Short mmCIF file of all heavy atoms in Angstrom, two decimals:
data_model
loop_
_atom_site.label_atom_id
_atom_site.label_comp_id
_atom_site.label_asym_id
_atom_site.label_seq_id
_atom_site.Cartn_x
_atom_site.Cartn_y
_atom_site.Cartn_z
N ILE W 153 0.35 12.93 6.00
CA ILE W 153 0.97 11.71 5.48
C ILE W 153 1.95 11.09 6.40
O ILE W 153 2.13 9.90 6.45
CB ILE W 153 1.60 11.96 4.02
CG1 ILE W 153 2.67 13.03 4.08
CG2 ILE W 153 0.55 12.28 2.98
CD1 ILE W 153 3.43 13.17 2.75
N ILE W 154 2.57 11.95 7.24
CA ILE W 154 3.49 11.41 8.27
C ILE W 154 2.71 10.49 9.22
O ILE W 154 3.12 9.39 9.51
CB ILE W 154 4.08 12.58 9.10
CG1 ILE W 154 4.76 13.63 8.20
CG2 ILE W 154 5.08 12.02 10.14
CD1 ILE W 154 5.89 13.17 7.41
N GLU W 155 1.61 11.01 9.70
CA GLU W 155 0.77 10.24 10.69
C GLU W 155 0.25 8.94 10.03
O GLU W 155 0.26 7.88 10.65
CB GLU W 155 -0.39 11.07 11.17
CG GLU W 155 0.02 12.19 12.10
CD GLU W 155 0.75 11.72 13.36
OE1 GLU W 155 0.26 10.79 14.04
OE2 GLU W 155 1.84 12.25 13.64
N LEU W 156 -0.19 9.08 8.78
CA LEU W 156 -0.71 7.93 8.08
C LEU W 156 0.37 6.87 7.89
O LEU W 156 0.15 5.67 8.10
CB LEU W 156 -1.28 8.32 6.73
CG LEU W 156 -2.63 9.10 6.78
CD1 LEU W 156 -2.92 9.72 5.40
CD2 LEU W 156 -3.77 8.13 7.20
N ALA W 157 1.58 7.33 7.55
CA ALA W 157 2.68 6.42 7.31
C ALA W 157 3.00 5.64 8.58
O ALA W 157 3.22 4.45 8.56
CB ALA W 157 3.93 7.16 6.81
N LYS W 158 3.00 6.35 9.72
CA LYS W 158 3.30 5.70 11.02
C LYS W 158 2.26 4.63 11.34
O LYS W 158 2.55 3.61 11.95
CB LYS W 158 3.36 6.72 12.13
CG LYS W 158 4.62 7.59 12.09
CD LYS W 158 4.54 8.64 13.22
CE LYS W 158 5.68 9.65 13.03
NZ LYS W 158 5.43 10.82 13.92
N LYS W 159 1.03 4.89 10.96
CA LYS W 159 -0.05 3.96 11.35
C LYS W 159 -0.20 2.81 10.35
O LYS W 159 -0.48 1.70 10.72
CB LYS W 159 -1.40 4.68 11.37
CG LYS W 159 -1.50 5.82 12.36
CD LYS W 159 -1.45 5.38 13.78
CE LYS W 159 -1.74 6.56 14.71
NZ LYS W 159 -1.38 6.22 16.10
N PHE W 160 0.10 3.08 9.07
CA PHE W 160 -0.29 2.10 8.07
C PHE W 160 0.90 1.34 7.43
O PHE W 160 0.69 0.46 6.59
CB PHE W 160 -1.13 2.78 6.93
CG PHE W 160 -2.48 3.11 7.38
CD1 PHE W 160 -2.77 4.34 7.94
CD2 PHE W 160 -3.49 2.17 7.35
CE1 PHE W 160 -4.07 4.68 8.36
CE2 PHE W 160 -4.78 2.44 7.76
CZ PHE W 160 -5.08 3.70 8.29
N ASN W 161 2.11 1.66 7.86
CA ASN W 161 3.25 0.90 7.43
C ASN W 161 3.28 0.71 5.90
O ASN W 161 3.33 -0.41 5.40
CB ASN W 161 3.22 -0.47 8.11
CG ASN W 161 4.56 -1.14 8.03
OD1 ASN W 161 5.56 -0.57 7.65
ND2 ASN W 161 4.58 -2.45 8.28
N PRO W 162 3.30 1.82 5.14
CA PRO W 162 3.18 1.71 3.68
C PRO W 162 4.46 1.26 3.00
O PRO W 162 5.53 1.32 3.60
CB PRO W 162 2.94 3.18 3.27
CG PRO W 162 3.63 3.98 4.29
CD PRO W 162 3.50 3.21 5.59
N ASP W 163 4.37 0.70 1.83
CA ASP W 163 5.51 0.31 1.03
C ASP W 163 6.29 1.56 0.63
O ASP W 163 7.51 1.52 0.43
CB ASP W 163 5.12 -0.40 -0.20
CG ASP W 163 4.30 -1.67 0.11
OD1 ASP W 163 4.68 -2.34 1.10
OD2 ASP W 163 3.31 -1.93 -0.58
N MET W 164 5.60 2.65 0.46
CA MET W 164 6.24 3.85 -0.02
C MET W 164 5.36 5.08 0.29
O MET W 164 4.15 4.95 0.45
CB MET W 164 6.37 3.77 -1.52
CG MET W 164 7.61 4.43 -2.10
SD MET W 164 7.60 4.39 -3.91
CE MET W 164 6.72 2.91 -4.31
N VAL W 165 6.01 6.27 0.32
CA VAL W 165 5.26 7.48 0.43
C VAL W 165 5.65 8.29 -0.79
O VAL W 165 6.78 8.56 -1.04
CB VAL W 165 5.63 8.28 1.72
CG1 VAL W 165 4.88 9.62 1.74
CG2 VAL W 165 5.32 7.47 2.96
N VAL W 166 4.62 8.68 -1.55
CA VAL W 166 4.89 9.43 -2.84
C VAL W 166 4.27 10.80 -2.71
O VAL W 166 3.09 10.93 -2.40
CB VAL W 166 4.32 8.66 -4.04
CG1 VAL W 166 4.48 9.52 -5.35
CG2 VAL W 166 5.00 7.30 -4.23
N LEU W 167 5.07 11.81 -3.01
CA LEU W 167 4.53 13.18 -3.03
C LEU W 167 4.51 13.69 -4.47
O LEU W 167 5.55 13.89 -5.05
CB LEU W 167 5.42 14.11 -2.17
CG LEU W 167 5.27 13.90 -0.66
CD1 LEU W 167 6.39 12.96 -0.20
CD2 LEU W 167 5.36 15.22 0.07
N ALA W 168 3.32 13.81 -5.01
CA ALA W 168 3.15 14.27 -6.37
C ALA W 168 3.02 15.77 -6.38
O ALA W 168 2.01 16.33 -5.83
CB ALA W 168 1.94 13.60 -7.00
N THR W 169 4.00 16.48 -6.99
CA THR W 169 3.97 17.94 -6.97
C THR W 169 4.04 18.44 -8.43
O THR W 169 3.94 17.65 -9.35
CB THR W 169 5.21 18.49 -6.22
OG1 THR W 169 6.41 18.22 -6.97
CG2 THR W 169 5.34 17.84 -4.83
N ASP W 170 4.31 19.73 -8.54
CA ASP W 170 4.45 20.33 -9.89
C ASP W 170 5.89 20.71 -10.20
O ASP W 170 6.17 21.47 -11.12
CB ASP W 170 3.52 21.54 -10.06
CG ASP W 170 3.88 22.66 -9.10
OD1 ASP W 170 4.47 22.40 -8.03
OD2 ASP W 170 3.53 23.86 -9.37
N VAL W 171 6.84 20.21 -9.37
CA VAL W 171 8.26 20.43 -9.62
C VAL W 171 8.96 19.06 -9.60
O VAL W 171 8.39 18.08 -9.01
CB VAL W 171 8.94 21.38 -8.63
CG1 VAL W 171 8.42 22.82 -8.86
CG2 VAL W 171 8.66 20.91 -7.21
N ASP W 172 10.16 18.99 -10.19
CA ASP W 172 10.83 17.70 -10.31
C ASP W 172 11.34 17.12 -8.98
O ASP W 172 11.72 15.93 -8.94
CB ASP W 172 12.07 17.85 -11.25
CG ASP W 172 11.65 17.99 -12.73
OD1 ASP W 172 10.46 17.69 -13.04
OD2 ASP W 172 12.46 18.39 -13.56
N GLY W 173 11.33 17.89 -7.93
CA GLY W 173 11.78 17.44 -6.63
C GLY W 173 12.22 18.65 -5.86
O GLY W 173 11.76 19.77 -6.06
N VAL W 174 13.20 18.42 -4.96
CA VAL W 174 13.74 19.51 -4.15
C VAL W 174 14.98 20.07 -4.84
O VAL W 174 15.86 19.35 -5.30
CB VAL W 174 14.13 19.02 -2.73
CG1 VAL W 174 14.68 20.17 -1.92
CG2 VAL W 174 12.93 18.40 -2.06
N PHE W 175 14.99 21.39 -4.93
CA PHE W 175 16.11 22.08 -5.61
C PHE W 175 16.84 22.90 -4.57
O PHE W 175 16.33 23.20 -3.47
CB PHE W 175 15.61 22.97 -6.73
CG PHE W 175 15.11 22.23 -7.91
CD1 PHE W 175 13.83 21.66 -7.94
CD2 PHE W 175 15.92 22.10 -9.06
CE1 PHE W 175 13.39 20.96 -9.04
CE2 PHE W 175 15.46 21.43 -10.18
CZ PHE W 175 14.18 20.83 -10.17
N ASP W 176 18.06 23.30 -4.93
CA ASP W 176 18.82 24.19 -4.00
C ASP W 176 18.31 25.62 -4.12
O ASP W 176 18.50 26.41 -3.17
CB ASP W 176 20.35 24.12 -4.27
CG ASP W 176 20.69 24.47 -5.72
OD1 ASP W 176 19.78 24.55 -6.55
OD2 ASP W 176 21.90 24.66 -5.97
N LYS W 177 17.66 25.98 -5.24
CA LYS W 177 17.00 27.27 -5.40
C LYS W 177 15.62 27.03 -5.98
O LYS W 177 15.38 25.94 -6.51
CB LYS W 177 17.79 28.16 -6.31
CG LYS W 177 19.26 28.46 -5.94
CD LYS W 177 19.89 29.28 -7.05
CE LYS W 177 21.40 29.32 -6.91
NZ LYS W 177 22.07 29.85 -8.09
N ASP W 178 14.80 28.05 -5.95
CA ASP W 178 13.46 27.89 -6.56
C ASP W 178 13.61 27.69 -8.07
O ASP W 178 14.02 28.58 -8.82
CB ASP W 178 12.64 29.19 -6.28
CG ASP W 178 11.21 29.09 -6.77
OD1 ASP W 178 10.88 28.12 -7.50
OD2 ASP W 178 10.40 29.91 -6.38
N PRO W 179 13.25 26.49 -8.56
CA PRO W 179 13.41 26.19 -9.98
C PRO W 179 12.48 26.99 -10.86
O PRO W 179 12.69 27.06 -12.08
CB PRO W 179 13.11 24.70 -10.06
CG PRO W 179 12.20 24.45 -8.90
CD PRO W 179 12.62 25.39 -7.80
N LYS W 180 11.45 27.55 -10.27
CA LYS W 180 10.52 28.38 -11.06
C LYS W 180 11.13 29.76 -11.35
O LYS W 180 10.70 30.46 -12.21
CB LYS W 180 9.20 28.53 -10.36
CG LYS W 180 8.40 27.23 -10.32
CD LYS W 180 7.14 27.31 -9.48
CE LYS W 180 6.48 25.97 -9.36
NZ LYS W 180 5.34 25.96 -8.43
N LYS W 181 12.16 30.11 -10.55
CA LYS W 181 12.78 31.43 -10.71
C LYS W 181 14.16 31.35 -11.28
O LYS W 181 14.61 32.21 -12.07
CB LYS W 181 12.88 32.15 -9.37
CG LYS W 181 11.60 32.75 -8.86
CD LYS W 181 11.82 33.59 -7.61
CE LYS W 181 10.53 33.97 -6.93
NZ LYS W 181 10.73 34.28 -5.52
N TYR W 182 14.95 30.30 -10.89
CA TYR W 182 16.35 30.25 -11.28
C TYR W 182 16.63 29.07 -12.23
O TYR W 182 16.33 27.94 -11.87
CB TYR W 182 17.24 30.12 -10.05
CG TYR W 182 17.05 31.28 -9.10
CD1 TYR W 182 16.18 31.16 -7.99
CD2 TYR W 182 17.74 32.49 -9.26
CE1 TYR W 182 15.98 32.21 -7.11
CE2 TYR W 182 17.55 33.54 -8.39
CZ TYR W 182 16.66 33.41 -7.35
OH TYR W 182 16.48 34.48 -6.46
N LYS W 183 17.23 29.42 -13.40
CA LYS W 183 17.50 28.36 -14.35
C LYS W 183 18.61 27.42 -13.90
O LYS W 183 18.69 26.28 -14.32
CB LYS W 183 17.91 29.00 -15.69
CG LYS W 183 16.69 29.58 -16.45
CD LYS W 183 16.84 29.36 -17.92
CE LYS W 183 15.48 29.50 -18.61
NZ LYS W 183 15.57 29.48 -20.07
N ASP W 184 19.53 27.94 -13.03
CA ASP W 184 20.68 27.10 -12.60
C ASP W 184 20.34 26.29 -11.33
O ASP W 184 21.25 25.77 -10.68
CB ASP W 184 21.93 27.95 -12.42
CG ASP W 184 21.76 28.97 -11.29
OD1 ASP W 184 20.61 29.30 -10.95
OD2 ASP W 184 22.77 29.44 -10.74
N ALA W 185 19.08 26.26 -10.94
CA ALA W 185 18.70 25.50 -9.78
C ALA W 185 18.98 24.04 -10.00
O ALA W 185 18.74 23.49 -11.06
CB ALA W 185 17.18 25.69 -9.50
N LYS W 186 19.61 23.42 -8.97
CA LYS W 186 20.02 21.98 -9.10
C LYS W 186 19.05 21.08 -8.36
O LYS W 186 18.74 21.31 -7.19
CB LYS W 186 21.44 21.79 -8.57
CG LYS W 186 22.52 21.83 -9.68
CD LYS W 186 23.85 21.47 -9.09
CE LYS W 186 24.85 22.60 -9.28
NZ LYS W 186 25.93 22.61 -8.36
N LEU W 187 18.65 19.98 -9.00
CA LEU W 187 17.80 18.99 -8.33
C LEU W 187 18.63 18.17 -7.32
O LEU W 187 19.70 17.70 -7.66
CB LEU W 187 17.19 18.04 -9.38
CG LEU W 187 16.31 16.91 -8.84
CD1 LEU W 187 15.01 17.48 -8.23
CD2 LEU W 187 15.96 15.92 -9.94
N ILE W 188 18.11 18.10 -6.14
CA ILE W 188 18.79 17.24 -5.13
C ILE W 188 18.15 15.88 -5.21
O ILE W 188 16.97 15.70 -4.89
CB ILE W 188 18.58 17.84 -3.72
CG1 ILE W 188 19.13 19.30 -3.68
CG2 ILE W 188 19.30 16.99 -2.65
CD1 ILE W 188 18.66 20.10 -2.47
N GLU W 189 18.90 14.89 -5.68
CA GLU W 189 18.28 13.57 -5.96
C GLU W 189 18.03 12.75 -4.71
O GLU W 189 17.14 11.88 -4.72
CB GLU W 189 19.14 12.82 -6.94
CG GLU W 189 19.13 13.49 -8.33
CD GLU W 189 19.78 12.63 -9.40
OE1 GLU W 189 20.41 11.62 -9.05
OE2 GLU W 189 19.64 13.01 -10.59
N LYS W 190 18.82 13.01 -3.69
CA LYS W 190 18.66 12.18 -2.48
C LYS W 190 19.00 13.03 -1.25
O LYS W 190 19.94 13.77 -1.23
CB LYS W 190 19.61 10.97 -2.57
CG LYS W 190 19.27 9.88 -1.67
CD LYS W 190 20.14 8.65 -1.95
CE LYS W 190 20.71 8.06 -0.66
NZ LYS W 190 21.54 6.91 -0.90
N ILE W 191 18.14 12.95 -0.29
CA ILE W 191 18.42 13.59 0.99
C ILE W 191 18.35 12.50 2.06
O ILE W 191 17.32 11.83 2.17
CB ILE W 191 17.34 14.67 1.32
CG1 ILE W 191 17.35 15.77 0.24
CG2 ILE W 191 17.60 15.28 2.70
CD1 ILE W 191 16.25 16.80 0.38
N SER W 192 19.45 12.32 2.74
CA SER W 192 19.37 11.34 3.84
C SER W 192 19.26 12.07 5.13
O SER W 192 19.61 13.25 5.20
CB SER W 192 20.55 10.36 3.82
OG SER W 192 21.70 11.07 4.35
N ILE W 193 18.81 11.39 6.10
CA ILE W 193 18.56 12.02 7.39
C ILE W 193 19.82 12.66 7.95
O ILE W 193 19.82 13.66 8.61
CB ILE W 193 17.96 10.93 8.42
CG1 ILE W 193 17.54 11.59 9.68
CG2 ILE W 193 18.91 9.79 8.63
CD1 ILE W 193 16.28 12.41 9.53
N ARG W 194 20.99 12.07 7.57
CA ARG W 194 22.31 12.53 7.99
C ARG W 194 22.64 13.96 7.52
O ARG W 194 23.24 14.75 8.23
CB ARG W 194 23.39 11.56 7.50
CG ARG W 194 24.51 11.31 8.46
CD ARG W 194 25.54 10.42 7.80
NE ARG W 194 24.98 9.02 7.66
CZ ARG W 194 25.56 7.95 8.16
NH1 ARG W 194 26.68 8.07 8.84
NH2 ARG W 194 25.05 6.77 8.00
N ASP W 195 22.24 14.20 6.22
CA ASP W 195 22.64 15.51 5.71
C ASP W 195 21.47 16.51 5.58
O ASP W 195 21.56 17.54 4.85
CB ASP W 195 23.33 15.36 4.34
CG ASP W 195 22.54 14.48 3.38
OD1 ASP W 195 21.31 14.52 3.45
OD2 ASP W 195 23.16 13.82 2.55
N ILE W 196 20.39 16.22 6.30
CA ILE W 196 19.20 17.11 6.17
C ILE W 196 19.53 18.52 6.55
O ILE W 196 19.04 19.49 5.92
CB ILE W 196 18.06 16.56 7.06
CG1 ILE W 196 16.77 17.42 6.91
CG2 ILE W 196 18.44 16.45 8.55
CD1 ILE W 196 15.87 16.99 5.88
N ASP W 197 20.41 18.73 7.53
CA ASP W 197 20.70 20.10 7.98
C ASP W 197 21.63 20.83 7.01
O ASP W 197 21.70 22.06 7.07
CB ASP W 197 21.35 20.04 9.36
CG ASP W 197 20.31 19.66 10.41
OD1 ASP W 197 19.12 19.97 10.24
OD2 ASP W 197 20.71 18.99 11.42
N LYS W 198 22.29 20.13 6.13
CA LYS W 198 23.21 20.76 5.20
C LYS W 198 22.48 21.24 3.94
O LYS W 198 23.00 22.06 3.22
CB LYS W 198 24.33 19.78 4.80
CG LYS W 198 25.32 19.47 5.92
CD LYS W 198 26.34 18.46 5.43
CE LYS W 198 26.53 17.37 6.47
NZ LYS W 198 26.92 16.07 5.90
N VAL W 199 21.26 20.68 3.70
CA VAL W 199 20.56 21.03 2.47
C VAL W 199 20.06 22.46 2.53
O VAL W 199 19.55 22.95 3.52
CB VAL W 199 19.37 20.08 2.26
CG1 VAL W 199 18.62 20.49 0.98
CG2 VAL W 199 19.84 18.65 2.16
N LYS W 200 20.38 23.17 1.45
CA LYS W 200 19.93 24.58 1.34
C LYS W 200 18.56 24.57 0.76
O LYS W 200 18.28 24.02 -0.29
CB LYS W 200 20.86 25.34 0.40
CG LYS W 200 21.95 26.13 1.11
CD LYS W 200 22.89 26.73 0.11
CE LYS W 200 22.25 27.70 -0.87
NZ LYS W 200 23.22 28.26 -1.86
N PHE W 201 17.58 25.15 1.48
CA PHE W 201 16.23 25.26 0.96
C PHE W 201 15.92 26.68 0.61
O PHE W 201 16.45 27.62 1.21
CB PHE W 201 15.23 24.75 1.98
CG PHE W 201 15.39 23.33 2.37
CD1 PHE W 201 15.99 22.98 3.55
CD2 PHE W 201 14.93 22.34 1.51
CE1 PHE W 201 16.16 21.67 3.93
CE2 PHE W 201 15.09 21.02 1.86
CZ PHE W 201 15.72 20.67 3.06
N TYR W 202 15.02 26.85 -0.31
CA TYR W 202 14.51 28.17 -0.56
C TYR W 202 13.12 28.21 0.11
O TYR W 202 12.47 27.23 0.28
CB TYR W 202 14.40 28.44 -2.04
CG TYR W 202 13.52 27.46 -2.76
CD1 TYR W 202 12.17 27.67 -2.96
CD2 TYR W 202 14.11 26.25 -3.25
CE1 TYR W 202 11.40 26.76 -3.60
CE2 TYR W 202 13.28 25.34 -3.90
CZ TYR W 202 11.94 25.58 -4.04
OH TYR W 202 11.13 24.67 -4.67
N LYS W 203 12.75 29.42 0.49
CA LYS W 203 11.45 29.58 1.19
C LYS W 203 10.44 30.19 0.26
O LYS W 203 10.65 31.12 -0.47
CB LYS W 203 11.69 30.47 2.42
CG LYS W 203 10.45 30.66 3.26
CD LYS W 203 10.75 30.76 4.73
CE LYS W 203 9.46 30.97 5.51
NZ LYS W 203 8.67 29.79 5.68
#
Side-chain angles (χ1 to χ4, degrees):
Chain W
I153 58 174
I154 306 299
E155 289 301 309
L156 287 167
K158 287 179 189 166
K159 301 292 187 193
F160 288 92
N161 196 13
D163 301 320
M164 214 187 328
V165 177
V166 176
L167 290 94
T169 71
D170 63 338
V171 289
D172 286 345
V174 180
F175 288 79
D176 58 347
K177 302 177 195 168
D178 186 347
K180 290 173 187 173
K181 283 186 192 159
Y182 302 96
K183 284 217 162 173
D184 65 338
K186 264 186 239 156
L187 179 67
I188 303 164
E189 292 189 350
K190 199 171 133 181
I191 299 174
S192 77
I193 188 73
R194 218 183 290 238
D195 52 30
I196 182 91
D197 290 327
K198 291 177 225 151
V199 179
K200 263 173 61 182
F201 298 103
Y202 58 91
K203 181 145 178 78

